[in-house]
Amino acid sequence: MPIVRNKKIEVLFSAKELKKRNHELAEEIALSDVSNLLVISVLKGSFVFAADLIRAMYDVGLFPEVEFITVSSYGAGTQSGELKLLRDIETDVSGRDILLVDDILESGKTMQYTRDLMRSRGANTVLIVTLLDKSVKRKVKINADYVGFECPDKFVVGYGMDAGHAFRELPFVGVISGDA
Ligand code: IMP
Ligand code: MG
C-alpha cells in the first residue's frame, strides 16, 4: 500500500485502470453527435482527468477547445447548497457543443449549476463526463452522460482530487486508510 505524507493510501483505481477507462470514455464521446466541442474542466479537482481525457480524445480523432471554470460552495462543509462562480470561462458558448468535465458527481449541485449556466448563455448541447459517480449521494436530479467509474461512498484523493489541498499529485485514485 503506498505511503504518502505518513498516510497509508488504499488504491481504488490504479493509473493503468484510469488510462484504460479514459480511452474507453473518449471512444464513447466520439460516438456522440457533437461538433467543434468545447471541453470545460471544472476546477480544481478535474484538472488531471481533463488533461488525460483530452489526449485520449485526440487519439480517437477529436480536437476539442479547452476552457476552465471554478465553481465553489458557499462556506465549505455547509449544507446551503448555494454555489458561486469563482472563475469564469472566457469563451462565448452560444451555439456551442460543450462537454463539462468533473472529477466527482456527488450531490449533483455543482454540475447542475454549471450546466444551467451554460444553457442560459445559449449553449447548444451540454454533455457531462465525470470520472467518478457517487450516485448514492445525489441530491438533485442530474446524471452524467459519461461515467468513468461508480465510486464507493468514501472520501477519495489523488488524480487531481484533494484532502485539505494535499494528494492531488497521486497518479491513482485512493482512500486514506490510516497512519503509516
Ligand atoms: P457536488 O456534486 O456538487 O456535491 O460536488 C461534488 C464535488 O465535491 C466534486 O466535484 C469534488 O470536487 C468534491 N468532492 C466530492 N467528493 C469528494 C471526495 O471524495 N474527494 C475529493 N473531493 C470530493
Ligand atoms: Mg469538482
Side-chain angles (χ1 to χ4, degrees), residues 68-134:
F68 302 91
I69 195 167
T70 311
V71 177
S72 180
S73 303
Y74 273 110
T78 63
Q79 293 291 308
S80 72
E82 269 189 275
L83 293 161
K84 65 178 169 183
L85 189 56
L86 292 184
R87 182 202 182 279
D88 205 349
I89 58 171
E90 293 162 6
T91 304
D92 176 4
V93 298
S94 63
R96 296 293 303 267
D97 290 337
I98 291 174
L99 178 67
L100 298 177
V101 180
D102 207 358
D103 51 352
I104 303 188
L105 190 58
E106 200 172 86
S107 73
K109 288 176 181 172
T110 307
M111 275 300 100
Q112 185 183 58
Y113 173 90
T114 312
R115 185 191 61 187
D116 290 353
L117 182 66
M118 295 307 144
R119 283 182 177 165
S120 75
R121 291 175 177 178
N124 181 41
T125 305
V126 185
L127 296 170
I128 295 174
V129 58
T130 187
L131 177 66
L132 304 176
D133 190 354
K134 284 189 190 172

